[in-house]
Amino acid sequence: MPPPTGLLDSVRRAFGAREEPGGAALPEPGGRRLALVYRGPATQPGCPEAVAALLASGPWNLDVRYTGPHEDLPLSAETLAHAYVYAQPGGGSLAPAYRRLKRQADAIRDYVHGGGRYLGFCLGGYLAGSDPGFELLPGDTDQYITSPGATVDHERDTLVETRWRGQPRTLYFQDGPHFILDEGADATVLATYPNGSVAAAVTRYGNGRVGVVGPHPEATDDWYLDEGLPVVEARDLGLDLAAAVLED
């Protein structure tokens, strides 16, 4: 992912970046619903901030906070019990990311199974799978770039074409997954890649709901500009994915 810029630094400040972990209080019952966004070594700078900004821009009046090993709110079963949604951003590679999150996998799985909501963007989509991952999907994930007929065959930051709810849309892409769903799975496919593989989907896991996307609809303008790519506005698709997970 692109390195943080002045814009991303300002987003960090807006969402409460901290030098030292503290003891932030969890929301009181009856207050705004808590959206937890992972920020830590299993992601890269800029990715959590983009997801936090996306969720804060939606119509849900969410209390968006970061969780992770160096945040005020640790990623734990106790913290997740207060969350309306947990978001896993992109950034980095699957195997090392899962090693860093393996201890929290049961807590995340139990949270979703009990009625929680999970949003996974790119790496967060990979982590929703099972090899390795949190095992939240009725199926698994794999690299889109290795799938038959893929229109991208490299790991560099680029653009990818999709059909989102039947409409052609271009999104930011960096070695994102496609989703291999079991036959007859209780899932809604929101988007496909040109080769027909699944680019975004919403599924059930126990009493909870899981939304995953391979490309980056949350990408901000500076991501494109830093990579010399034409700027594409696709954050409405990120909000569409979030709405499919958040709204009853």
Side-chain angles (χ1 to χ4, degrees):
M1 285 297 94
T5 64
L7 174 62
L8 288 177
D9 289 339
S10 68
V11 172
R12 278 199 186 88
R13 288 192 292 272
F15 286 95
R18 291 164 287 276
E19 296 298 324
E20 298 286 342
L26 287 162
E28 294 295 328
R32 288 191 298 157
R33 293 176 295 188
L34 177 64
L36 292 174
V37 179
Y38 174 84
R39 184 165 68 178
T43 185
Q44 291 184 3
C47 294
E49 291 79 10
V51 171
L54 178 78
L55 291 175
S57 72
W60 307 288
N61 192 30
L62 297 170
D63 180 4
V64 183
R65 305 198 200 181
Y66 295 114
T67 182
H70 306 299
E71 302 297 328
D72 289 348
L73 297 177
L75 179 53
S76 65
E78 182 179 29
T79 303
L80 287 165
H82 295 265
Y84 183 61
V85 59
Y86 170 74
Q88 189 74 51
S93 300
L94 175 58
Y98 183 71
R99 285 197 297 270
R100 295 178 184 276
L101 289 165
K102 187 175 181 179
R103 291 183 180 179
Q104 287 77 37
D106 285 345
I108 293 170
R109 194 159 40 244
D110 290 347
Y111 158 73
V112 180
H113 193 275
R117 292 162 165 85
Y118 177 97
L119 280 169
F121 297 81
C122 193
L123 175 61
Y126 277 117
L127 284 165
S130 60
D131 191 23
F134 304 140
E135 301 180 9
L136 300 176
L137 297 176
D140 206 350
T141 70
D142 202 353
Q143 290 177 289
Y144 169 63
I145 64 174
T146 64
S147 63
T151 53
V152 179
D153 61 2
H154 58 79
E155 298 182 4
R156 299 184 301 277
D157 298 70
T158 188
L159 303 179
V160 69
E161 301 301 320
T162 69
R163 292 194 70 84
W164 194 288
R165 295 193 186 269
Q167 299 301 312
R169 296 295 299 267
T170 303
L171 292 97
Y172 193 100
F173 182 81
Q174 196 273 312
D175 194 19
H178 70 117
F179 304 99
I180 306 165
L181 302 176
D182 295 340
E183 186 175 353
D186 182 6
T188 299
V189 174
L190 297 181
T192 57
Y193 295 106
N195 66 354
S197 61
V198 177
V202 176
T203 75
R204 291 282 184 180
Y205 180 71
N207 294 319
R209 198 174 297 164
V210 177
V212 288
V213 59
H216 285 279
E218 81 283 13
T220 51
D221 291 358
D222 54 296
W223 288 28
Y224 296 91
L225 296 172
D226 288 350
E227 297 298 325
L229 298 170
V231 175
V232 175
E233 178 51 59
R235 277 167 281 188
D236 61 307
L237 304 182
L239 292 173
D240 184 44
L241 173 69
V245 171
L246 297 177
E247 296 177 0
D248 295 324

